[in-house]
Amino acid sequence: MKKLSIGIIDLVAKAPTKTMWMRIMGANFVSIMPQVVATWCEEQGHDVTLVTYTGRENLIKELPAEVDFVFISSFTEAALLSYALSNILRSRGAITAIGGPHARCYPQDAQKYFDYVLGFTDKSLIHEVLKDCSRHRPHGLHLTADKHPVSLPGVSERWKFIERTLRKAPLVKIVPLLSSLGCPYSCAFCIDSSVPYQPLDMDAIKEDLRFLLKKVKRPRVSWHDPNFGIRFKKSMDAIEEAVPPGSIDFIAESTLSLLSEDRVKRLKHNGFKALLPGIESWFDMGKKSKTGNRTGMDKVKMVSDQVNMILRYIPYVQTNHIFGLDGDEGPEPFELTKRFLDLSPGAFPAYSMLSAFGQAAPLNLEFQRANRVLPFPFHFLSNIQMNIKPKNYQWLEFYDHLIDMTKYSFSPSMILRRFMANGETIPRWLNIVRGFSSEHFGRLKYFKEIRRQLRTDRNFQRFFEQETAEIPKYFVESIKNDLGEFWDWLPDGAISHDPNAYLMSSNKTCPHCNIPNVDAA
Ligand code: B12
Ligand code: SF4
């Protein structure tokens, strides 16, 4: 195969930005797969340049002028930037491919702007694509492996890419690792609800940890496992065997039901400094938090006791909450969250709105069948903009509750209480920066603006009420402002998408391989 010049772009930011939060933390939110793909391409003898985009870099200048093939890794919120970039790169003769959450959720839309759209990706799929390396226009090829890769290149093989990214993180430097893929649970709204749990090799993980400890004085590792702790004993044994207790600081996402006091003690012993348990709803998903049939204030008290217990051992706890679920109605879900904050002031609350990301989860088909999914431009789809018509709320009512609760959660007095309740320096200051910069000024400003538009702009209301699919001027102008120079490269029609594409395509099957909704490889 011809030696190719390959570019890989990891879009951490969705547009140029200079916020303090992104400056301090942006480089710590990189994905593992761009590094993995870079390593696989190099193994094949190609020249590879990996660019991590945190909103400050000159994306085009950092790639070689004569680049042959570019992979772009993108979340849906960065899809429009990725479409503009693909357009620029194609105009310069490159072949383009997209992978990551957007490609998995909205393949039909991405096919319009890329030569290849990749779902589950393993080494042989990458080889196949590079062997083909040709234009597929106007309709890109959608290809997927039948499951996640069985193994991934270790930290030592990815080190040169990791090291370069770490240089961009001025204060806190975090290395992402994976010990498993998929999840054994099946929460209907989640992208992993139907992806089988797949543990990765424990010996390889031990190797990764040992290698890191040799390279970095006191490494910080963020486990990107969708649900860390499924194999709790084995993971803890591996960490204890590989490195002295407390020599690496760890961060992990885990369901509350897996976090008993004994386990949390063991996590502390092994250096876990941040945990991100999902609470989701006070009225739903009792299985996940092990609160069974308890709902409302009973569940608040029970969860709060458990979170306070965790905070006695782990200095940073982010609790994840979802609003707008069909089981929620009236002010109660919001008021109960405020009571939870009163009872657990040390927790940092992260709020998501119910979002149906294209074909991420089977539940999305139900929302599409019920015609409840709105075509909000991708630029706003990051769990902050609910894209499903709420079952039990009028939009204005929903935003009133949301604004009130966000104000309460990030008021100066609540930020101070959180600061006082956190025991360690870095978590304390991260909470302050995050509370003020992204959550307070960023989200609250956005929610207030949406409410204002809903009250004052008839076209805006009509869009939210599904009386028109025309994207409101406010959204168009915001995208234009955010994208800056990339706006001019956005292909015609890219800000609109078919919110029911998954439903439309769900009956289509490849005639050769029988895989639903995938082109023949
Ligand atoms: C770990 C994680 C994070 C971490 C790390 C993020 C990161 N950059 O990877 C943190 C906490 C920082 C994070 C933040 C956010 N996240 Co997140 N996160 C996850 C989580 C739990 C696991 C993702 C993961 O690494 N899986 C392991 C990898 C190996 O599997 P995979 O992602 O499925 O990838 C496969 C293929 O997609 C493909 N692939 C993946 N990347 C690439 C890249 C290339 C180039 C190629 C060719 C292929 C390829 O190969 C893989 C192997 O088959 C998922 C939920 C889930 N259960 O998957 C949500 C998820 C990805 N996050 C989500 C969201 C919305 C966010 C935020 C926008 C939330 C917010 N409002 O801040 C931010 C955005 C951060 C950013 N821009 O970087 C959504 C994305 C939906 C979408 N379509 O955009 C998900 C799906 C959760 C959800 N709500 O449903 N997240
Ligand atoms: S436990 Fe978490 S990762 Fe697993 S299916 Fe439920 S939401 Fe998804």
Side-chain angles (χ1 to χ4, degrees), residues 375 377 459-460 462-464 466-473 475-476 495-496:
N459 284 338
F460 201 82
R462 291 183 64 233
F463 179 80
F464 274 66
Q466 296 175 295
E467 290 161 18
T468 174
E470 195 187 322
I471 310 293
K473 206 165 147 237
F475 287 129
V476 180
I495 60 168
S496 302

PDB file of all heavy atoms in Angstrom, residues 375 377 459-460 462-464 466-473 475-476 495-496:
ATOM      1  N   PRO A 375     -35.612  19.239  15.368  1.00  0.00           N
ATOM      2  CA  PRO A 375     -34.349  19.304  14.606  1.00  0.00           C
ATOM      3  C   PRO A 375     -33.417  20.429  15.067  1.00  0.00           C
ATOM      4  O   PRO A 375     -32.973  21.242  14.257  1.00  0.00           O
ATOM      5  CB  PRO A 375     -34.827  19.527  13.172  1.00  0.00           C
ATOM      6  CG  PRO A 375     -36.119  20.282  13.322  1.00  0.00           C
ATOM      7  CD  PRO A 375     -36.739  19.831  14.624  1.00  0.00           C
ATOM      8  N   PRO A 377     -30.204  22.373  15.630  1.00  0.00           N
ATOM      9  CA  PRO A 377     -28.917  22.170  14.954  1.00  0.00           C
ATOM     10  C   PRO A 377     -27.960  21.419  15.884  1.00  0.00           C
ATOM     11  O   PRO A 377     -27.970  21.613  17.103  1.00  0.00           O
ATOM     12  CB  PRO A 377     -28.430  23.599  14.693  1.00  0.00           C
ATOM     13  CG  PRO A 377     -29.659  24.443  14.713  1.00  0.00           C
ATOM     14  CD  PRO A 377     -30.604  23.793  15.662  1.00  0.00           C
ATOM     15  N   ASN A 459     -41.521  33.061  15.802  1.00  0.00           N
ATOM     16  CA  ASN A 459     -40.927  31.975  14.996  1.00  0.00           C
ATOM     17  C   ASN A 459     -40.194  30.976  15.869  1.00  0.00           C
ATOM     18  O   ASN A 459     -40.183  29.781  15.608  1.00  0.00           O
ATOM     19  CB  ASN A 459     -39.944  32.542  13.960  1.00  0.00           C
ATOM     20  CG  ASN A 459     -40.697  33.166  12.824  1.00  0.00           C
ATOM     21  OD1 ASN A 459     -41.867  32.825  12.603  1.00  0.00           O
ATOM     22  ND2 ASN A 459     -40.057  34.090  12.131  1.00  0.00           N
ATOM     23  N   PHE A 460     -39.569  31.509  16.902  1.00  0.00           N
ATOM     24  CA  PHE A 460     -38.854  30.661  17.867  1.00  0.00           C
ATOM     25  C   PHE A 460     -39.843  29.714  18.545  1.00  0.00           C
ATOM     26  O   PHE A 460     -39.631  28.508  18.615  1.00  0.00           O
ATOM     27  CB  PHE A 460     -38.190  31.580  18.896  1.00  0.00           C
ATOM     28  CG  PHE A 460     -37.039  30.958  19.641  1.00  0.00           C
ATOM     29  CD1 PHE A 460     -35.769  30.906  19.079  1.00  0.00           C
ATOM     30  CD2 PHE A 460     -37.221  30.425  20.917  1.00  0.00           C
ATOM     31  CE1 PHE A 460     -34.715  30.347  19.783  1.00  0.00           C
ATOM     32  CE2 PHE A 460     -36.169  29.864  21.610  1.00  0.00           C
ATOM     33  CZ  PHE A 460     -34.907  29.836  21.041  1.00  0.00           C
ATOM     34  N   ARG A 462     -42.745  28.807  17.417  1.00  0.00           N
ATOM     35  CA  ARG A 462     -43.311  27.865  16.428  1.00  0.00           C
ATOM     36  C   ARG A 462     -42.347  26.701  16.198  1.00  0.00           C
ATOM     37  O   ARG A 462     -42.762  25.571  16.022  1.00  0.00           O
ATOM     38  CB  ARG A 462     -43.605  28.595  15.113  1.00  0.00           C
ATOM     39  CG  ARG A 462     -44.774  29.577  15.256  1.00  0.00           C
ATOM     40  CD  ARG A 462     -45.111  30.255  13.934  1.00  0.00           C
ATOM     41  NE  ARG A 462     -45.565  29.296  12.951  1.00  0.00           N
ATOM     42  CZ  ARG A 462     -45.041  29.181  11.730  1.00  0.00           C
ATOM     43  NH1 ARG A 462     -44.064  29.961  11.352  1.00  0.00           N
ATOM     44  NH2 ARG A 462     -45.510  28.279  10.890  1.00  0.00           N
ATOM     45  N   PHE A 463     -41.045  26.982  16.245  1.00  0.00           N
ATOM     46  CA  PHE A 463     -40.054  25.905  16.076  1.00  0.00           C
ATOM     47  C   PHE A 463     -40.137  24.934  17.257  1.00  0.00           C
ATOM     48  O   PHE A 463     -40.178  23.719  17.080  1.00  0.00           O
ATOM     49  CB  PHE A 463     -38.651  26.525  15.970  1.00  0.00           C
ATOM     50  CG  PHE A 463     -37.547  25.506  15.814  1.00  0.00           C
ATOM     51  CD1 PHE A 463     -37.290  24.931  14.578  1.00  0.00           C
ATOM     52  CD2 PHE A 463     -36.773  25.117  16.903  1.00  0.00           C
ATOM     53  CE1 PHE A 463     -36.281  23.979  14.431  1.00  0.00           C
ATOM     54  CE2 PHE A 463     -35.764  24.171  16.769  1.00  0.00           C
ATOM     55  CZ  PHE A 463     -35.520  23.606  15.518  1.00  0.00           C
ATOM     56  N   PHE A 464     -40.208  25.479  18.453  1.00  0.00           N
ATOM     57  CA  PHE A 464     -40.284  24.627  19.647  1.00  0.00           C
ATOM     58  C   PHE A 464     -41.594  23.834  19.682  1.00  0.00           C
ATOM     59  O   PHE A 464     -41.652  22.757  20.246  1.00  0.00           O
ATOM     60  CB  PHE A 464     -40.133  25.469  20.931  1.00  0.00           C
ATOM     61  CG  PHE A 464     -38.698  25.691  21.348  1.00  0.00           C
ATOM     62  CD1 PHE A 464     -37.841  26.437  20.563  1.00  0.00           C
ATOM     63  CD2 PHE A 464     -38.194  25.145  22.524  1.00  0.00           C
ATOM     64  CE1 PHE A 464     -36.518  26.642  20.929  1.00  0.00           C
ATOM     65  CE2 PHE A 464     -36.872  25.339  22.909  1.00  0.00           C
ATOM     66  CZ  PHE A 464     -36.030  26.088  22.108  1.00  0.00           C
ATOM     67  N   GLN A 466     -43.049  22.660  17.096  1.00  0.00           N
ATOM     68  CA  GLN A 466     -43.030  21.813  15.881  1.00  0.00           C
ATOM     69  C   GLN A 466     -44.025  22.274  14.818  1.00  0.00           C
ATOM     70  O   GLN A 466     -44.505  21.480  14.024  1.00  0.00           O
ATOM     71  CB  GLN A 466     -43.282  20.349  16.236  1.00  0.00           C
ATOM     72  CG  GLN A 466     -42.180  19.755  17.114  1.00  0.00           C
ATOM     73  CD  GLN A 466     -42.505  18.343  17.550  1.00  0.00           C
ATOM     74  OE1 GLN A 466     -43.461  18.130  18.280  1.00  0.00           O
ATOM     75  NE2 GLN A 466     -41.709  17.376  17.127  1.00  0.00           N
ATOM     76  N   GLU A 467     -44.292  23.603  14.804  1.00  0.00           N
ATOM     77  CA  GLU A 467     -45.176  24.119  13.749  1.00  0.00           C
ATOM     78  C   GLU A 467     -44.372  24.479  12.505  1.00  0.00           C
ATOM     79  O   GLU A 467     -44.923  24.677  11.436  1.00  0.00           O
ATOM     80  CB  GLU A 467     -45.924  25.363  14.255  1.00  0.00           C
ATOM     81  CG  GLU A 467     -46.969  25.024  15.311  1.00  0.00           C
ATOM     82  CD  GLU A 467     -47.388  26.229  16.149  1.00  0.00           C
ATOM     83  OE1 GLU A 467     -47.149  27.386  15.731  1.00  0.00           O
ATOM     84  OE2 GLU A 467     -47.919  26.003  17.244  1.00  0.00           O
ATOM     85  N   THR A 468     -43.042  24.609  12.685  1.00  0.00           N
ATOM     86  CA  THR A 468     -42.155  24.862  11.545  1.00  0.00           C
ATOM     87  C   THR A 468     -40.817  24.169  11.811  1.00  0.00           C
ATOM     88  O   THR A 468     -40.420  24.012  12.972  1.00  0.00           O
ATOM     89  CB  THR A 468     -41.912  26.379  11.336  1.00  0.00           C
ATOM     90  OG1 THR A 468     -40.936  26.534  10.313  1.00  0.00           O
ATOM     91  CG2 THR A 468     -41.405  27.058  12.593  1.00  0.00           C
ATOM     92  N   ALA A 469     -40.124  23.792  10.710  1.00  0.00           N
ATOM     93  CA  ALA A 469     -38.796  23.184  10.872  1.00  0.00           C
ATOM     94  C   ALA A 469     -37.712  24.208  10.547  1.00  0.00           C
ATOM     95  O   ALA A 469     -36.516  23.900  10.577  1.00  0.00           O
ATOM     96  CB  ALA A 469     -38.663  21.975   9.958  1.00  0.00           C
ATOM     97  N   GLU A 470     -38.151  25.436  10.236  1.00  0.00           N
ATOM     98  CA  GLU A 470     -37.167  26.469   9.889  1.00  0.00           C
ATOM     99  C   GLU A 470     -36.359  26.842  11.137  1.00  0.00           C
ATOM    100  O   GLU A 470     -36.928  27.169  12.184  1.00  0.00           O
ATOM    101  CB  GLU A 470     -37.897  27.702   9.354  1.00  0.00           C
ATOM    102  CG  GLU A 470     -36.954  28.657   8.655  1.00  0.00           C
ATOM    103  CD  GLU A 470     -37.679  29.947   8.284  1.00  0.00           C
ATOM    104  OE1 GLU A 470     -38.872  29.864   7.897  1.00  0.00           O
ATOM    105  OE2 GLU A 470     -37.057  31.009   8.418  1.00  0.00           O
ATOM    106  N   ILE A 471     -35.014  26.766  11.004  1.00  0.00           N
ATOM    107  CA  ILE A 471     -34.168  27.011  12.180  1.00  0.00           C
ATOM    108  C   ILE A 471     -34.273  28.489  12.575  1.00  0.00           C
ATOM    109  O   ILE A 471     -34.020  29.381  11.753  1.00  0.00           O
ATOM    110  CB  ILE A 471     -32.677  26.682  11.870  1.00  0.00           C
ATOM    111  CG1 ILE A 471     -32.527  25.294  11.229  1.00  0.00           C
ATOM    112  CG2 ILE A 471     -31.803  26.829  13.112  1.00  0.00           C
ATOM    113  CD1 ILE A 471     -32.868  24.128  12.099  1.00  0.00           C
ATOM    114  N   PRO A 472     -34.646  28.783  13.826  1.00  0.00           N
ATOM    115  CA  PRO A 472     -34.792  30.183  14.244  1.00  0.00           C
ATOM    116  C   PRO A 472     -33.500  30.992  14.058  1.00  0.00           C
ATOM    117  O   PRO A 472     -32.398  30.458  14.199  1.00  0.00           O
ATOM    118  CB  PRO A 472     -35.152  30.073  15.729  1.00  0.00           C
ATOM    119  CG  PRO A 472     -35.692  28.701  15.908  1.00  0.00           C
ATOM    120  CD  PRO A 472     -35.005  27.845  14.897  1.00  0.00           C
ATOM    121  N   LYS A 473     -33.723  32.281  13.778  1.00  0.00           N
ATOM    122  CA  LYS A 473     -32.607  33.187  13.492  1.00  0.00           C
ATOM    123  C   LYS A 473     -31.576  33.178  14.633  1.00  0.00           C
ATOM    124  O   LYS A 473     -30.384  33.223  14.398  1.00  0.00           O
ATOM    125  CB  LYS A 473     -33.196  34.597  13.328  1.00  0.00           C
ATOM    126  CG  LYS A 473     -32.367  35.484  12.468  1.00  0.00           C
ATOM    127  CD  LYS A 473     -33.154  36.717  12.047  1.00  0.00           C
ATOM    128  CE  LYS A 473     -32.188  37.871  11.935  1.00  0.00           C
ATOM    129  NZ  LYS A 473     -32.491  39.008  12.748  1.00  0.00           N
ATOM    130  N   PHE A 475     -30.591  30.818  16.579  1.00  0.00           N
ATOM    131  CA  PHE A 475     -29.663  29.692  16.492  1.00  0.00           C
ATOM    132  C   PHE A 475     -28.670  29.898  15.341  1.00  0.00           C
ATOM    133  O   PHE A 475     -27.476  29.644  15.481  1.00  0.00           O
ATOM    134  CB  PHE A 475     -30.424  28.372  16.299  1.00  0.00           C
ATOM    135  CG  PHE A 475     -31.136  27.899  17.538  1.00  0.00           C
ATOM    136  CD1 PHE A 475     -32.480  27.553  17.508  1.00  0.00           C
ATOM    137  CD2 PHE A 475     -30.464  27.795  18.747  1.00  0.00           C
ATOM    138  CE1 PHE A 475     -33.142  27.118  18.656  1.00  0.00           C
ATOM    139  CE2 PHE A 475     -31.113  27.349  19.906  1.00  0.00           C
ATOM    140  CZ  PHE A 475     -32.455  27.022  19.852  1.00  0.00           C
ATOM    141  N   VAL A 476     -29.197  30.373  14.201  1.00  0.00           N
ATOM    142  CA  VAL A 476     -28.320  30.559  13.029  1.00  0.00           C
ATOM    143  C   VAL A 476     -27.220  31.577  13.365  1.00  0.00           C
ATOM    144  O   VAL A 476     -26.035  31.346  13.123  1.00  0.00           O
ATOM    145  CB  VAL A 476     -29.133  31.026  11.796  1.00  0.00           C
ATOM    146  CG1 VAL A 476     -28.220  31.216  10.584  1.00  0.00           C
ATOM    147  CG2 VAL A 476     -30.242  30.024  11.483  1.00  0.00           C
ATOM    148  N   ILE A 495     -26.839  23.071   8.568  1.00  0.00           N
ATOM    149  CA  ILE A 495     -27.371  23.351   9.907  1.00  0.00           C
ATOM    150  C   ILE A 495     -28.709  22.644  10.150  1.00  0.00           C
ATOM    151  O   ILE A 495     -29.208  22.604  11.263  1.00  0.00           O
ATOM    152  CB  ILE A 495     -27.496  24.860  10.241  1.00  0.00           C
ATOM    153  CG1 ILE A 495     -28.416  25.555   9.263  1.00  0.00           C
ATOM    154  CG2 ILE A 495     -26.149  25.530  10.316  1.00  0.00           C
ATOM    155  CD1 ILE A 495     -28.768  26.965   9.762  1.00  0.00           C
ATOM    156  N   SER A 496     -29.286  22.071   9.093  1.00  0.00           N
ATOM    157  CA  SER A 496     -30.541  21.323   9.276  1.00  0.00           C
ATOM    158  C   SER A 496     -30.263  19.829   9.170  1.00  0.00           C
ATOM    159  O   SER A 496     -29.340  19.414   8.473  1.00  0.00           O
ATOM    160  CB  SER A 496     -31.540  21.675   8.173  1.00  0.00           C
ATOM    161  OG  SER A 496     -31.783  23.051   8.181  1.00  0.00           O
TER     162      SER A 496
END
